[in-house]
């Protein structure tokens, strides 16, 4: 029979492989019912119990599906008769993240106990070193801009999964149309799907003069959304609106947690103005030809 250290090493290696594969049953295996996990994202008091632990993983798997890796690089174990602990370092990030910051490693500490002769994980603590300063703010801005570029490409490709990948499960979105707010990824996904279905041809969304600021784990972007939809007769409808988006970094990349898009309101007609275009001289909206709005999640 394998000794305790070997059993624990195999347990942790299988767990890491299951995380990388998006295998939820494999991730949950050999974890205690009363597990406590201190994760990179909130809540700060951690998650407690196997059901709460289970609920933390779907968002991570969606992010990981973009091509991110989760690989052990080191693992040290100290085992007693009934209690053990392990500390490990892992490569956790997208290929772009790791190429830009090869030193980026996830730190992991595990507490284990023996139940009925078998080891189970009773505690996990995940963290990244907080080494962000002015240079990291610039990196964060580039990352948020890159996220927008991926959004533009996914919109033109009508790739709904690609559009939704950086959208948080708890997102709150103020869209152009009723109701007052859309809460949660499923509701926003439906809005995006409807926007893509507006045209049988190409649909595009860009923010030509995108502005971004980032501090610590929060970033905000804003600008005028330019949306187009190709019509069956070959013509293209163009629409402009205002957009503000809020992002949060959870150690696994940026996710949009809030979006607010709107058309200007004309107090004289009491109608939304969907026929406006930017005035490059004054950088304000000026009257233009009327067009039908296109909303591809923007």
């Amino acid at each position: 029979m394998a000794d305790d250290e070997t059993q624990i090493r195999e347990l942790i290696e299988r767990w890491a492989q299951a995380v990388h594969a998006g295998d939820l049953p494999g991730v949950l295996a050999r974890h205690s019912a009363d597990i406590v996990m201190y994760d990179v994202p909130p809540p700060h008091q951690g998650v407690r119990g196997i059901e709460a632990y289970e609920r933390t993983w779907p968002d991570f798997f969606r992010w990981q599906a973009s091509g991110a890796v989760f690989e052990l690089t080191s693992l040290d174990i100290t085992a007693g008769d009934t209690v053990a602990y392990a500390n490990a370092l892992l490569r956790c990030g997208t290929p772009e993240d790791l190429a830009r910051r090869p030193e980026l490693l996830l730190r992991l500490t595990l507490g284990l106990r023996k139940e009925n002769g078998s080891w189970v994980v009773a505690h996990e603590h995940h963290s990244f070193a907080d080494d962000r300063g002015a240079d990291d703010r610039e990196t964060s801005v580039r990352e948020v801009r890159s996220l927008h570029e991926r959004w533009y490409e996914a919109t033109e490709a009508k790739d709904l999964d690609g559009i939704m990948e950086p959208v948080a499960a708890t997102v709150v979105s103020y869209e152009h149309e009723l109701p007052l707010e859309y809460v949660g990824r499923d509701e926003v996904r439906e809005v995006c799907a409807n926007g893509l279905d507006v045209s049988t041809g190409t649909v595009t969304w860009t923010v030509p003069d995108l502005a971004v600021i980032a501090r610590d784990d929060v970033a905000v972007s804003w600008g005028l959304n330019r949306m187009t939809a190709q019509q069956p007769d070959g013509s293209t409808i163009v629409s402009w609106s205002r957009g503000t988006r809020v992002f949060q970094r959870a150690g696994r990349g940026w996710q949009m947690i809030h979006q607010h898009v709107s058309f200007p309101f004309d107090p004289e007609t009491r109608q939304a103005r969907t026929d406006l275009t930017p005035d490059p001289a004054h950088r304000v909206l000026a009257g233009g030809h009327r067009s039908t709005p296109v909303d591809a999640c923007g």
Side-chain angles (χ1 to χ4, degrees):
M1 180 177 178
D3 61 22
D4 289 323
E5 182 176 333
T6 300
Q7 291 180 45
I8 293 169
R9 183 174 298 277
E10 292 175 350
L11 184 163
I12 296 171
E13 289 175 346
R14 286 196 300 270
W15 171 82
Q17 291 166 2
V19 172
H20 182 69
D23 172 14
L24 185 56
V27 172
L28 301 179
R30 310 310 307 161
H31 280 67
S32 68
D34 61 348
I35 183 172
V36 175
M37 177 174 69
Y38 297 154
D39 203 359
V40 175
H44 298 294
Q45 68 270 25
V47 297
R48 298 170 185 271
I50 192 66
E51 292 181 354
Y53 177 79
E54 180 178 1
R55 289 194 293 270
T56 67
W57 287 104
D59 280 347
F60 180 82
F61 291 154
R62 276 188 284 270
W63 168 78
Q64 191 170 244
S66 66
V69 299
F70 191 87
E71 299 174 348
L72 283 166
T73 63
S74 68
L75 175 60
D76 295 303
I77 299 165
T78 300
D81 292 335
T82 59
V83 176
Y85 72 87
N87 58 273
L89 295 173
L90 301 98
R91 297 175 69 245
C92 179
T94 64
E96 295 80 9
D97 292 336
L98 297 174
R100 185 170 56 252
R101 300 179 63 194
E103 78 284 0
L104 181 66
L105 292 172
L106 177 70
R107 304 175 300 186
L108 173 68
T109 300
L110 300 173
L112 304 96
R113 66 172 180 255
K114 190 173 285 188
E115 293 183 352
N116 300 319
S118 297
W119 290 101
V120 296
V121 178
H123 176 57
E124 289 181 21
H125 189 164
H126 310 195
S127 74
F128 285 98
D130 185 4
D131 59 354
R132 286 170 288 170
D135 290 343
D136 294 294
R137 293 191 193 114
E138 293 178 5
T139 298
S140 295
V141 169
R142 287 196 296 270
E143 290 172 347
V144 173
R145 288 186 176 278
S146 176
L147 184 156
H148 280 76
E149 294 293 336
R150 296 196 302 274
W151 257 335
Y152 306 155
E153 293 170 1
T155 299
E156 187 167 0
K158 292 192 174 182
D159 175 8
L160 185 57
D161 289 336
I163 292 171
M164 296 305 301
E165 185 272 323
V167 177
T170 56
V171 64
V172 175
S173 186
Y174 300 160
E175 299 287 341
H176 294 123
E177 65 272 14
L178 294 174
L180 280 173
E181 63 178 7
Y182 289 79
V183 179
R185 184 187 285 112
D186 290 343
E187 291 189 4
V188 173
R189 183 183 181 93
E190 184 174 353
V191 175
C192 295
N194 291 338
L196 294 177
D197 289 341
V198 165
S199 173
T200 57
T202 301
V203 176
T204 71
W205 164 54
T206 59
V207 185
D209 293 315
L210 180 68
V212 181
I213 59 172
R215 295 292 185 274
D216 300 324
D217 63 347
V218 175
V220 180
S221 72
W222 67 93
L224 298 178
N225 304 306
R226 183 181 188 273
M227 295 169 280
T228 72
Q230 190 177 47
Q231 303 302 293
D233 63 2
S235 64
T236 298
I237 292 176
V238 181
S239 177
W240 291 85
S241 65
R242 292 94 56 94
T244 302
R245 296 167 182 88
V246 182
F247 304 86
Q248 185 172 41
R249 187 209 294 270
R252 301 162 182 166
W254 293 97
Q255 286 195 319
M256 185 178 76
I257 59 175
H258 177 57
Q259 172 178 242
H260 188 165
V261 293
S262 70
F263 293 106
F265 173 77
D266 188 333
E268 294 183 2
T269 63
R270 303 189 65 80
Q271 298 293 321
R273 293 290 302 272
T274 63
D275 62 333
L276 304 180
T277 58
D279 184 335
H282 300 97
R283 302 184 63 81
V284 297
L285 288 178
H289 61 82
R290 186 166 187 81
S291 59
T292 302
V294 178
D295 189 339
C297 205

